[in-house]
Amino acid sequence: MEIKEIIELVRRGLIDEALRYLEGLEDIDKVIVLSEATVVTRNLEFIEEAIYILEKYIKRVEERVIGYSEIALALAKIGYYEESTEYFNKAISLLNKLDKYNAAVSAMFLGTRLARAGFYDSAFDTFEYSFDMIIDLDIEISKKTDLILSLADVIEKTGDELASDIALKFYERAYDIFDKLKVGHRAGMLEKKIRLSKVLSFTKDPEIRRLTYEGRFKQAIYKVHEKFGKGKRGLAMLEIALWAKENNMPERIELLDMALREIDPLKLNDEEIKRAVEVLVDLEEFQRAMEFAESIKNGKIRDEALAIIGERLIELGEVEALREIIPKIESEEVKKELLSKL
């Protein structure tokens, strides 16, 4: 049985059945299966066996990087972050024992595991290390370019698994690579993902972001109801409606109606209401935006929200409408800044 099939058995909770196939696997595959079994069962005996196999039988450095990465990721997933850091550090230290080509490829794998474990800065640094190794390789330019494109693809796919605010950094780096190498269609896709991550800055969830990107709005709304409480889901739906509007999708009117029926400022904190104001302004729902801004309790945040409305009205040339907003702003500094944009 293929390792993918065995891992699928593990993920379905069929641990005993999966382990019957363990002996027929390569040692590194045993480590991967046992690491996954640790995540599913939270039984540390599996990870201990994985560590034993790795350190006793696996000699190839590339495989040891993989093994330590999988063990570290499993430990992070079950909450053993200190131990996870220890094994990630072991994997990182092994990169220097590889030639530049294998170090670059191994670092790509390691970077994805670091990101999945929540070590985002280390993941990004590891991808940059991979890039530096590729640049230093003394190989044909076409092969070097292919490797760099593979790295950009890995960085993008890593971003796809992360919350919107974290994904942005990875998407922007992948975009930079594709853009500089003149791969226009991939750069264009990443521009869209970057914008979507900014639009879904409250929603953040990568699964909802993927469904929204694909235009599968019914499924996205279903996931919003599944993952957000009643008080918060209206704001998530509002962000999805904004994306549909920006892309002139036929569902935009229905999505906006659904979001406006659902959203309630009394169920949101002040920062969340301010975000709702931003989205409502982008949707040109100015009256609702004003109502929301005025419901903000914190004076500083309320002024900021009112200024957001004012700035958009100025952009639209609706200067007369500012007369309603200016008196509501308490901060003289915010008033002056807003008036300076006239």
Side-chain angles (χ1 to χ4, degrees), residues 163-256:
S164 293
D165 52 337
I166 300 163
L168 267 173
K169 184 177 181 180
F170 292 85
Y171 284 154
E172 287 167 350
R173 184 64 176 111
Y175 169 82
D176 183 58
I177 293 172
F178 285 124
D179 184 53
K180 282 185 169 59
L181 292 177
K182 308 298 183 186
V183 186
H185 70 286
R186 294 298 297 273
M189 289 170 61
L190 277 154
E191 278 186 312
K192 191 174 177 182
K193 288 183 178 183
I194 288 167
R195 176 57 190 160
L196 178 56
S197 295
K198 291 176 179 177
V199 169
L200 300 190
S201 65
F202 167 77
T203 308
K204 294 185 181 180
D205 183 85
E207 186 176 12
I208 295 172
R209 193 173 71 243
R210 176 180 57 80
L211 292 168
T212 303
Y213 179 84
E214 295 170 357
R216 296 162 63 191
F217 294 115
K218 287 183 179 178
Q219 293 94 326
I221 295 299
Y222 175 82
K223 287 296 177 183
V224 166
H225 279 79
E226 187 179 87
K227 296 185 178 189
F228 288 85
K230 191 171 182 180
K232 309 291 184 184
R233 66 176 65 128
L235 179 50
M237 292 165 67
L238 202 64
E239 289 185 334
I240 294 172
L242 175 57
W243 177 256
K245 176 182 180 290
E246 287 189 354
N247 290 274
N248 200 29
M249 307 292 278
E251 299 92 339
R252 64 191 185 280
I253 296 171
E254 181 185 0
L255 287 166
L256 178 56

Side-chain angles (χ1 to χ4, degrees), residues 121-136:
D121 289 340
S122 295
F124 196 85
D125 291 344
T126 303
F127 287 138
E128 289 301 307
Y129 171 89
S130 178
F131 182 83
D132 291 342
M133 290 298 102
I134 296 169
I135 293 298
D136 285 347

Side-chain angles (χ1 to χ4, degrees), residues 257-322:
D257 287 342
M258 288 170 57
L260 291 175
R261 286 197 304 268
E262 186 85 34
I263 195 165
D264 182 354
L266 297 176
K267 306 275 180 61
L268 303 172
N269 64 41
D270 285 348
E271 286 290 350
E272 290 165 348
I273 298 173
K274 179 185 168 185
R275 174 57 186 156
V277 169
E278 290 175 335
V279 180
L280 287 164
V281 164
D282 286 338
L283 288 163
E284 298 185 5
E285 293 284 335
F286 292 106
Q287 190 55 48
R288 291 297 293 272
M290 279 293 296
E291 293 169 9
F292 274 50
E294 290 179 41
S295 74
I296 294 173
K297 297 178 179 64
N298 181 288
K300 181 176 181 294
I301 298 173
R302 183 171 59 250
D303 283 351
E304 290 171 353
L306 290 166
I308 289 168
I309 301 170
E311 287 172 14
R312 178 54 62 88
L313 290 171
I314 291 169
E315 288 174 10
L316 295 172
E318 301 286 345
V319 178
E320 285 297 313
L322 279 179

